[in-house]
Amino acid sequence: METTFSIDKLVGHKAFQRGNPMTDRFKVKRFHHVEFWCLDATTTSIRFGVGLGLQRVAKSDLSTGNTAFTSYAMRSGDMVFVFTASNTAKIPEASPEAAEQHPLAAGFDADAPVAFCVKHGMAVRAVAVEVEDAQAAYETCVAGGGTGVTAPRKAVDPASGTTQVVAEVLLYQGGDVVLRLVSGSFEGPCLVGYEDVPDDQRADIGLLRIDHVVGNVPKLLEQVNHVAAMTGFHEFAEFTAEDVGTVDSGLNSIVLACDSEAVLLPINEPTHGTKRRSQIQTYLDHNNGPGVQHIALLATDAIAAVRALRARGAFDLMPRPSDAYYEELPGRIGGVLSEEQYRGVRELGLLVDRDDQGTLIQVFTKPLGDRPTIFLEIIQRVGCDRDANGCPVPQRPGCGGFGKGNFRELFKSIEDYERQLERP
Ligand code: TYF
Ligand code: FE
């Protein structure tokens, strides 16, 4: 077998030399969707729909013959969030019709989303990526040491005659998140078996696509080498506790990317021995193990998107940085942002950072549910409108970085937030 990338120690952000060895073991195109498991798909999908300006585009539920679970696909631009909950534990097996209707319904354990939510709270179950051939990708992942969760299933869309293959492997070792591999000619927003629903006319807030999906794990190198062995993804960036500077709670992080860098999977681990317990350890405790920490959503205009998000009132943002942060900002960032953008980021409490490629505008929500676990990030990659060949692209993946220059400010605000969760 070919040799796969493997690393045995972190060198830190500065010393790390980025390259693209083009080592993918199967062709990966883009993020396809992210599926949350929750206790009530109607309630949760409406809350996300209202708060993030997502339209309900497809459903698989009792009305479509799915007795196993209720699932709604919500879309803005190219980003799709799916919300799924158990229908009833009294029907242990999906009916044969349901199994035909939804590729994941056959043999579905109707208790699984409930048990998942008891363990993790509302959380990400599946990170779905579009691949060229899901059957081959599944076999490659398993041959590379991956744990199969759903062997490849082929489904035919009765309306269009197009087909789709879906397969799943475990993403984070010791966790309950799957990497869902999707391929085929089916062009619907989600999976075969979902029925399109009429346009609900809800206005979007300018969210364009999923930029990166971050996992928290106990042991970074083990996990990174595991994902690399399955997929062939390469290291795109790394950050160590030292890069973050003198903050109380630490983390190490490695960003994995596919050949095209359209799928970015950062992974964090806690560091120990700091004054405060690592925010990553807090996550692992409350999530009962590894899982998705945050999903970064790329906006056409982050300032407009965050203004709308605040007006919708369904998600809270982390506390804003100090005035001093904004006074130092033009000196740190330079003339990339317009006067109006500087005013906008200050008004809304957004963070800005830059790397050798471009400028990143970013902001973080508070945790999405009751537990101090999963949150969202809204970003815009400014000055990133050309690919490596000089062709126009909307916000080249990874360009502008991940906000390393904001880690101090951000982690201070996370620590302040965590202090509020402690009883006096
Ligand atoms: O995706 C990233 O790496 C950045 C930085 O708790 C980050 O968004 C890392 C850890 C964290 C919050 C943000
Ligand atoms: Fe991020």
Side-chain angles (χ1 to χ4, degrees):
M1 212 195 311
E2 69 217 82
T3 46
T4 51
F5 147 101
S6 168
I7 57 170
D8 54 16
K9 92 187 215 314
L10 287 117
V11 298
H13 182 72
K14 249 217 172 111
F16 176 72
Q17 297 273 328
R18 182 180 296 169
N20 188 344
M22 301 291 280
T23 43
D24 282 2
R25 288 157 53 85
F26 49 89
K27 189 165 166 46
V28 177
K29 297 181 180 172
R30 61 180 187 103
F31 284 114
H32 191 274
H33 64 270
V34 166
E35 178 169 343
F36 293 80
W37 273 3
C38 55
L39 290 177
D40 192 81
T42 301
T43 312
T44 311
S45 65
I46 290 174
R47 191 264 185 130
F48 278 75
V50 170
L52 300 176
L54 313 180
Q55 287 213 357
R56 183 179 289 189
V57 286
K59 64 176 182 179
S60 179
D61 59 8
L62 290 173
S63 77
T64 71
N66 188 348
T67 49
F69 55 84
T70 293
S71 189
Y72 298 119
M74 312 289 293
R75 181 173 69 193
S76 171
D78 289 331
M79 68 157 281
V80 175
F81 276 1
V82 178
F83 297 91
T84 298
S86 301
N87 274 349
T88 166
K90 292 208 182 77
I91 303 173
E93 276 279 317
S95 66
E97 302 79 53
E100 256 169 49
Q101 297 232 358
H102 191 299
L104 299 175
F108 188 84
D109 173 8
D111 283 336
V114 175
F116 178 96
C117 289
V118 168
K119 187 169 173 194
H120 305 296
M122 187 215 53
V124 170
R125 164 59 177 176
V127 177
V129 293
E130 187 183 347
V131 298
E132 193 143 278
D133 179 343
Q135 165 104 34
Y138 175 87
E139 284 160 9
T140 301
C141 284
V142 171
T147 305
V149 176
T150 306
R153 295 180 182 186
K154 188 170 172 179
V156 182
D157 177 42
S160 61
T162 55
T163 61
Q164 189 174 52
V165 178
V166 182
E168 295 175 336
V169 294
L170 204 60
L171 181 53
Y172 310 117
Q173 289 173 294
D176 293 311
V177 181
V178 297
L179 177 66
R180 182 174 291 164
L181 306 155
V182 182
S183 69
S185 53
F186 177 68
E187 284 181 342
C190 188
L191 300 176
V192 166
Y194 286 76
E195 283 182 16
D196 289 354
V197 298
D199 191 334
D200 61 14
Q201 304 292 322
R202 184 181 289 127
D204 68 59
I205 65 168
L207 299 180
L208 211 56
R209 65 170 191 258
I210 296 168
D211 185 273
H212 56 272
V213 178
V214 187
N216 284 346
V217 303
K219 291 256 174 278
L220 178 61
L221 291 180
E222 275 176 33
Q223 179 59 40
V224 160
N225 288 329
H226 176 72
V227 174
M230 285 199 296
T231 60
F233 286 12
H234 61 279
E235 184 179 350
F236 185 79
E238 70 176 60
F239 310 98
T240 62
E242 288 72 49
D243 290 321
V244 176
T246 56
V247 283
D248 296 343
S249 77
L251 61 86
N252 295 315
S253 182
I254 284 179
V255 182
L256 289 175
C258 68
D259 285 354
S260 73
E261 301 178 340
V263 171
L264 297 167
L265 297 177
I267 301 172
N268 303 322
E269 72 175 356
T271 52
H272 301 283
T274 42
K275 207 155 79 198
R276 286 187 65 78
R277 196 168 53 142
S278 168
Q279 49 166 305
I280 309 304
Q281 191 57 47
T282 300
Y283 174 102
L284 294 171
D285 291 348
H286 286 268
N287 190 62
N288 278 306
V292 170
Q293 179 213 32
H294 75 268
I295 306 167
L297 304 173
L298 195 78
T300 329
D301 175 346
I303 296 166
V306 172
R307 196 174 277 128
L309 179 126
R310 294 221 306 198
R312 304 273 175 109
F315 295 98
D316 289 333
L317 299 179
M318 289 300 284
R320 55 179 295 119
S322 63
D323 286 345
Y325 176 88
Y326 291 101
E327 267 127 49
E328 290 160 13
L329 196 55
R332 194 158 69 77
I333 299 304
V336 199
L337 300 186
S338 67
E339 279 298 314
E340 199 189 334
Q341 283 174 313
Y342 274 116
R343 267 199 306 279
V345 298
R346 186 164 189 162
E347 173 207 331
L348 297 164
L350 310 189
L351 302 162
V352 188
D353 193 26
R354 67 177 302 178
D355 68 3
D356 55 330
Q357 316 249 309
T359 300
L360 177 78
I361 302 178
Q362 62 178 170
V363 74
F364 295 90
T365 70
K366 285 185 179 167
L368 304 180
D370 304 326
R371 303 187 193 196
T373 53
I374 184 171
F375 56 87
L376 297 176
E377 177 182 8
I378 310 284
I379 68 171
Q380 182 184 352
R381 299 189 179 281
V382 182
C384 297
D385 51 5
R386 299 269 157 190
D387 71 9
N389 305 315
C391 300
V393 287
Q395 304 192 38
R396 187 171 73 256
C399 165
F402 294 84
K404 178 188 166 287
N406 290 319
F407 282 6
R408 280 178 72 113
E409 197 66 38
L410 172 66
F411 296 164
K412 202 154 60 66
S413 119
I414 292 176
E415 285 163 14
D416 287 347
Y417 174 77
E418 284 186 345
R419 262 179 223 111
Q420 290 172 20
L421 305 178
E422 292 160 10
R423 279 170 58 116

